[in-house]
Amino acid sequence: MYLNPARRGTRALVGSPQKMHAAVLSAFPPGTPTETESGRVLWRLDVGKTHELTLLISSPVKPDLAHVVEQAGWPTGQDHWQSAPLSRLTERLETGQSWAFRLTANPVRSVAQGSGRGKRVGHATVQHQLEWLVERSADWGFDIGGRDGRLTADVVSRRGLSFERRSDGDRRQITLTTATYEGTLTVSDPKLLRLSMGHGLGRAKGYGCGLLTLAPRT
């Protein structure tokens, strides 16, 4: 779905991953399964070269985005959003195929704190963010190189996000580091890749991270 950047509602959603998360979940009526064996609700906000805003959602069932149209879309348009079964793509995946991809993720590392549980801290440099993806790619069913010094992907944008999360009267300040990756991947395990695309990659999935999208190479 394309968002209208001139609307106040759009600015409110773009400025708060918590509000966007709530808006996305509101696209599914009560009782609708938002997480199944095949996947869960994921979303990502893409910003185009001329500042177009595109909301992408992957979900076990088809969403209804009428409320987002009222808040942040173009209500006078005819096709407010488009959807299609993800299986049209995932059923075509085969070992050795190459695809163009995009992924916004939350690359983190664990820092020891005494004898307690380690604290998760976001990777700050492009090199460490790329290493994070390379190290995990096999577990997610694809390969982007890196073992011979050549990578087929890069970090195209990075953001530091800080926002307030409210839950049952409790307020917490959330700080995230995100990296958007683009490039070419090679399918190493189609079954794993299908699961990864359905369930998301990494952490902070409720805040716009983890949705991997593929496209034919051009």
Side-chain angles (χ1 to χ4, degrees):
M1 174 185 170
Y2 295 107
L3 304 183
N4 186 341
R7 301 191 69 172
R8 182 180 300 175
T10 302
R11 294 193 290 271
L13 293 178
V14 172
S16 171
Q18 175 71 14
K19 292 181 180 179
M20 183 70 83
H21 174 63
V24 169
L25 289 186
S26 295
F28 306 95
T32 302
T34 55
E35 185 167 1
T36 66
E37 290 185 1
S38 62
R40 54 165 289 169
V41 174
L42 302 166
W43 64 270
R44 188 177 80 217
L45 185 66
D46 283 354
V47 181
K49 292 182 179 180
T50 54
H51 305 292
E52 304 97 340
L53 298 172
T54 308
L55 174 62
L56 302 173
I57 298 175
S58 175
S59 55
V61 296
K62 189 175 180 179
D64 184 342
L65 298 172
H67 64 294
V68 183
V69 174
E70 294 175 357
Q71 182 179 0
W74 279 274
T76 57
Q78 294 183 351
D79 297 327
H80 299 307
W81 69 88
Q82 298 177 346
S83 62
L86 184 60
S87 58
R88 291 184 185 178
L89 171 62
T90 56
E91 289 177 356
R92 296 168 51 196
L93 296 176
E94 296 181 3
T95 302
Q97 287 178 336
S98 292
W99 294 85
F101 81 93
R102 177 179 290 173
L103 166 70
T104 294
N106 172 223
V108 296
R109 58 192 172 92
S110 181
V111 177
Q113 290 188 318
S115 60
R117 185 177 179 180
K119 179 181 179 181
R120 296 190 181 276
V121 178
H123 282 298
T125 68
V126 170
Q127 178 180 349
H128 288 149
Q129 289 169 348
L130 283 170
E131 290 174 353
W132 176 89
L133 184 61
V134 170
E135 291 170 358
R136 289 158 179 78
S137 59
D139 293 332
W140 289 328
F142 63 89
D143 178 47
I144 57 170
R147 293 160 188 81
D148 60 353
R150 292 186 58 199
L151 287 173
T152 60
D154 202 357
V155 174
V156 296
S157 68
R158 304 188 297 155
R159 293 184 66 192
L161 303 176
S162 182
F163 56 94
E164 187 177 74
R165 184 180 73 177
R166 300 183 183 185
S167 178
D168 298 327
D170 181 37
R171 295 185 178 184
R172 294 182 59 191
Q173 193 69 22
I174 305 297
T175 301
L176 296 176
T177 298
T178 69
T180 298
Y181 304 87
E182 288 184 3
T184 302
L185 62 77
T186 301
V187 180
S188 57
D189 188 322
K191 183 177 180 181
L192 270 180
L193 185 52
R194 291 187 194 102
L195 286 173
S196 301
M197 294 182 69
H199 290 279
L201 283 61
R203 300 173 61 85
K205 297 170 186 175
Y207 301 126
C209 296
L211 174 55
L212 173 70
T213 52
L214 305 181
R217 294 180 60 184
T218 57

